[in-house]
């Protein structure tokens, strides 16, 4: 019984760590849905252990009243979605990764776009954090302080903070999608279940095109709505692009440690992630898997 309780408790602790040490907590929180998924599938799971999980989630309210709600919408819902999805025998990874994070996206969008006071509170918090970072860079005499983009942010910190807050629903979506992808992928490896490649239906590219179109509308909230859509779709296409890269790594028999180092480097450099997303996008129109893939069964694209 003690062993099974460790899964949900560790999941909650890893996520709660973000409130105290965000730089480390965000890394641990990525694996929080995986631990919960392992717990949901554990043979010794019981009503008592479920009660312990609910109690642990409730205790997070002592840190912040929002933390349990975000945990439920991001971690618990995504893990439960994958659990129910795989229990029915479905293995297409793109569906839970793209659909499960819609709950946290919808909740954050309603709060930020529908509650002006909450939006102002978040904007004040974001601006304060941004100004603290700017002052720290100036005091350290970092070369970044002379960068034109950095100077533009300094001169328009309020506008930059508001833009960040208005894009927050999509940022939460991207994080939840990453957590869901890692949970389902690693769980499948642990259980020796072979998943098909990550492949979005081709017609979803129209959502990305719509996002770019909305960005050019001269209305602040519609413009940022388009930006949210772009971030969401590029996140999903990044997973598709990583699948292409991993295919070639496997084909040329790259050592596992070298693949891990390359992926860490890519995640550390945002421009490379954009390149990977574009790679996933181009795979909609071009076969990027090589000649031998033509003879294999393809995932339906409609």
């Amino acid at each position: 019984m003690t062993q099974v309780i460790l899964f949900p408790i560790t999941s909650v602790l890893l996520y709660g760590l973000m409130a105290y040490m965000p730089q480390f907590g965000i890394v641990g929180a990525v694996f929080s849905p995986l631990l919960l998924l392992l717990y949901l599938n554990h043979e010794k799971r019981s009503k008592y252990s479920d009660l312990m999980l609910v109690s642990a989630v409730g205790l997070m309210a002592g840190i912040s009243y929002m933390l349990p709600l975000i945990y439920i919408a991001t971690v618990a819902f995504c893990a439960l979605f994958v659990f129910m999805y795989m229990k029915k025998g479905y293995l297409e990874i793109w569906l839970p990764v793209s659909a499960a994070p819609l709950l946290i996206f919808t909740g954050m969008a309603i709060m930020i776009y529908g509650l002006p006071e909450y939006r102002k509170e978040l904007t004040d918090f974001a601006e304060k954090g941004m100004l603290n970072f700017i002052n720290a860079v100036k005091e350290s005499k970092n070369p970044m302080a002379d960068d034109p983009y950095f100077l533009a942010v300094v001169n328009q910190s309020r506008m930059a903070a508001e833009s960040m807050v208005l894009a927050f629903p999509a940022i939460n979506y991207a994080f939840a999608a990453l957590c869901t992808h890692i949970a389902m992928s690693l769980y499948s490896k642990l259980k020796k279940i072979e998943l098909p490649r990550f492949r979005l239906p081709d017609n979803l590219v129209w959502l990305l095109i719509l996002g770019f179109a909305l960005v050019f509308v001269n209305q602040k909230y519609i413009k940022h709505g388009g930006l949210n859509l772009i971030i969401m779709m590029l996140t999903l296409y990044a997973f598709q692009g990583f699948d292409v890269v991993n295919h070639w790594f496997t084909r040329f028999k790259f050592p596992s440690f070298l693949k891990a180092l390359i992926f860490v480097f890519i995640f550390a450099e945002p421009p490379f992630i954009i390149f990977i997303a574009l790679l996933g996008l181009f795979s909609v129109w071009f076969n990027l898997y090589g000649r031998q893939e033509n003879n294999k069964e393809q995932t339906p694209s409609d």
Side-chain angles (χ1 to χ4, degrees), residues 55-76:
S55 300
V57 174
L59 287 173
M60 284 198 293
I63 303 173
S64 167
Y65 73 93
M66 285 294 296
L67 203 55
L69 297 176
I70 297 175
Y71 177 87
I72 291 169
T74 303
V75 177

Side-chain angles (χ1 to χ4, degrees), residues 117-250:
E117 291 184 4
Y118 181 72
R119 183 170 66 246
K120 182 180 181 302
E121 183 180 333
L122 274 181
T123 303
D124 291 342
F125 179 80
E127 185 181 22
K128 183 179 178 181
M130 196 175 293
L131 291 174
N132 288 338
F133 174 75
I134 288 169
N135 292 331
V137 170
K138 288 181 176 179
E139 289 174 4
S140 65
K141 297 182 180 179
N142 192 302
M144 185 193 300
D146 298 322
D147 187 271
Y149 177 77
F150 183 84
L151 294 173
V153 172
V154 172
N155 295 330
Q156 301 184 41
S157 59
R158 185 67 183 181
M159 185 183 298
E162 186 178 22
S163 293
M164 184 188 301
V165 169
L166 290 174
F168 204 50
I171 294 171
N172 277 268
Y173 177 93
F175 180 73
L178 175 63
C179 293
T180 307
H181 192 286
I182 289 175
M184 190 167 177
S185 298
L186 293 185
Y187 176 81
S188 299
K189 287 185 181 297
L190 290 172
K191 299 296 181 180
K192 297 182 179 179
I193 301 171
E194 187 175 351
L195 297 177
R197 77 169 72 128
F198 189 102
R199 176 77 184 188
L200 293 170
D202 290 351
N203 52 19
L204 286 185
V205 73
W206 288 104
L207 291 177
L208 181 61
I209 294 171
L210 175 62
F212 278 108
L214 292 177
V215 164
F216 291 99
V217 175
N218 192 24
Q219 206 282 339
K220 181 170 65 175
Y221 297 119
I222 295 177
K223 185 188 294 288
H224 282 87
L227 178 61
N228 276 270
L229 198 51
I230 290 171
I231 294 172
M232 292 165 66
M233 293 309 301
L234 286 182
T235 298
L236 298 178
Y237 281 117
F239 293 134
Q240 192 159 303
F242 275 113
D243 192 80
V244 173
V245 173
N246 189 57
H247 164 78
W248 287 103
F249 281 166
T250 303

